[in-house]
Amino acid sequence: MKNLDFLKGNLIAHRGFHNLKEGIPENSLAAFKRAIRNNYVIELDVHLTSDNKIVVFHDYNLKRACGVNKVIESCTYDELLKYNLFNTKHKIPLLSSVLNLVNGKVGLLIETKTINFNGNLERELSKLLDNYNGSFAIQSFNFFSINWFKKHKKKYVVGLLSSDFNKRNISNLRKWIGKTLLMDIILRTDFISYDINALPSSYVQNKRKSKLVLGWTVRNKADFTKGKRYCDNLICENIEKLE
């Protein structure tokens, strides 16, 4: 039986417990240290660099966070070390460094991100996680990534990220698939992470009868109140203003 209890207790810090006004950028070691001090579960994003290093970073492009128009997956890790996060002193961290820092002190919620799925990120990620002594879960919007873990790492806790995608420029079919959680019939994930802006949802409430539901991303008290009603736990920013 898979243990999902670590996802049910304390709030989940979106990209770590960050606050740029205090010089603590998202997905940085400083944000993760702060989350650990406050005993929050850490949500983070991972990419694979061109030299097969797993880095913790949200966007596919470095422009927003580092001010350069480069695709992160086309860079080596040495290249990435040239840039700082949001004009701070902080660098893009390796996942291995984050795992060493966290070391089982709090749970991890890891989102896999890849432009073109080929399984390389998932293989390299599992090499690290197979030797990690702590609680973690994998989540993704990418059906192929989820399926890889369901097939090759059956003991991992794996979840589907989804939304109604109303504000996204994608096909109506893709929006409908996301909204209805149709792919979960095939994927049979352990939990659902659903867009707080797309709640309430009858599809989500139906899933909640049989599995854990997380809500993302909560940034204000109104969404926090709504999320508490429709979800089992919440992925949050500005946590100090919500509790």
Side-chain angles (χ1 to χ4, degrees):
M1 179 71 72
K2 296 180 183 180
N3 187 352
L4 278 70
D5 288 347
F6 74 97
L7 290 175
K8 301 176 185 178
N10 295 332
L11 293 176
I12 303 168
H14 186 238
R15 306 177 199 170
F17 193 3
H18 57 89
N19 187 326
L20 198 52
K21 291 181 180 179
E22 298 177 8
I24 304 175
E26 64 182 53
N27 277 330
S28 67
L29 290 178
F32 302 142
K33 288 177 182 177
R34 192 177 181 215
I36 293 168
R37 288 196 300 269
N38 288 272
N39 204 31
Y40 294 130
V41 177
I42 294 171
E43 186 271 348
L44 55 82
D45 313 273
V46 294
H47 293 262
L48 192 67
T49 62
S50 63
D51 56 343
N52 282 336
K53 303 290 187 183
I54 298 179
V55 293
V56 179
F57 193 78
H58 177 266
D59 299 359
Y60 292 99
N61 194 292
L62 297 173
K63 192 169 185 179
R64 179 181 68 92
C66 300
V68 290
N69 187 20
K70 288 187 176 182
V71 175
I72 192 165
E73 293 178 13
S74 68
C75 298
T76 66
Y77 186 61
D78 283 344
E79 287 179 79
L80 296 179
L81 288 177
K82 297 176 183 178
Y83 310 115
N84 291 3
L85 291 168
F86 298 96
N87 295 313
T88 68
K89 64 181 180 180
H90 300 285
K91 302 290 185 179
I92 298 170
L94 289 167
L95 178 62
S96 58
S97 298
V98 176
L99 296 180
N100 288 335
L101 170 69
V102 177
N103 194 28
K105 299 180 186 75
V106 297
L108 292 172
L109 180 56
I110 302 169
E111 179 181 347
T112 57
K113 308 198 78 167
T114 184
I115 296 173
N116 296 304
F117 173 82
N118 55 23
N120 290 341
L121 170 61
E122 289 71 18
R123 277 188 288 272
E124 294 301 318
L125 179 56
S126 64
K127 289 177 185 177
L128 290 177
L129 294 178
D130 281 348
N131 295 305
Y132 178 65
N133 187 26
S135 299
F136 65 86
I138 306 292
Q139 63 175 1
S140 187
F141 288 102
N142 190 305
F143 305 144
F144 297 106
S145 182
I146 294 170
N147 189 59
W148 190 96
F149 286 107
K150 294 292 291 183
K151 181 178 180 181
H152 296 285
K153 296 292 172 182
K154 298 183 186 301
K155 293 183 179 180
Y156 282 18
V157 175
V158 182
L160 173 64
L161 273 161
S162 199
S163 171
D164 61 9
F165 300 111
N166 272 346
K167 296 182 179 179
R168 295 283 296 275
N169 186 25
I170 58 176
S171 70
N172 288 334
L173 176 60
R174 179 66 184 87
K175 289 180 180 181
W176 181 77
I177 290 172
K179 176 181 179 179
T180 62
L181 300 167
L182 180 67
M183 285 302 297
D184 200 54
I185 296 173
I186 299 169
L187 296 170
R188 296 186 179 183
T189 59
D190 303 302
F191 67 96
I192 299 292
S193 285
Y194 206 78
D195 185 355
I196 195 76
N197 294 310
L199 294 176
S201 161
S202 60
Y203 302 103
V204 173
Q205 292 311 300
N206 187 54
K207 288 290 182 183
R208 198 180 178 195
K209 296 174 183 177
S210 59
K211 65 179 66 181
L212 181 77
V213 170
L214 306 177
W216 61 269
T217 299
V218 173
R219 295 182 172 93
N220 56 60
K221 288 188 176 181
D223 284 345
F224 186 77
T225 300
K226 179 169 72 168
K228 283 291 189 180
R229 180 176 181 183
Y230 296 113
C231 305
D232 299 296
N233 202 1
L234 303 172
I235 301 170
C236 303
E237 293 185 1
N238 308 317
I239 298 179
E240 66 273 30
K241 298 178 182 179
L242 299 175
E243 290 188 298

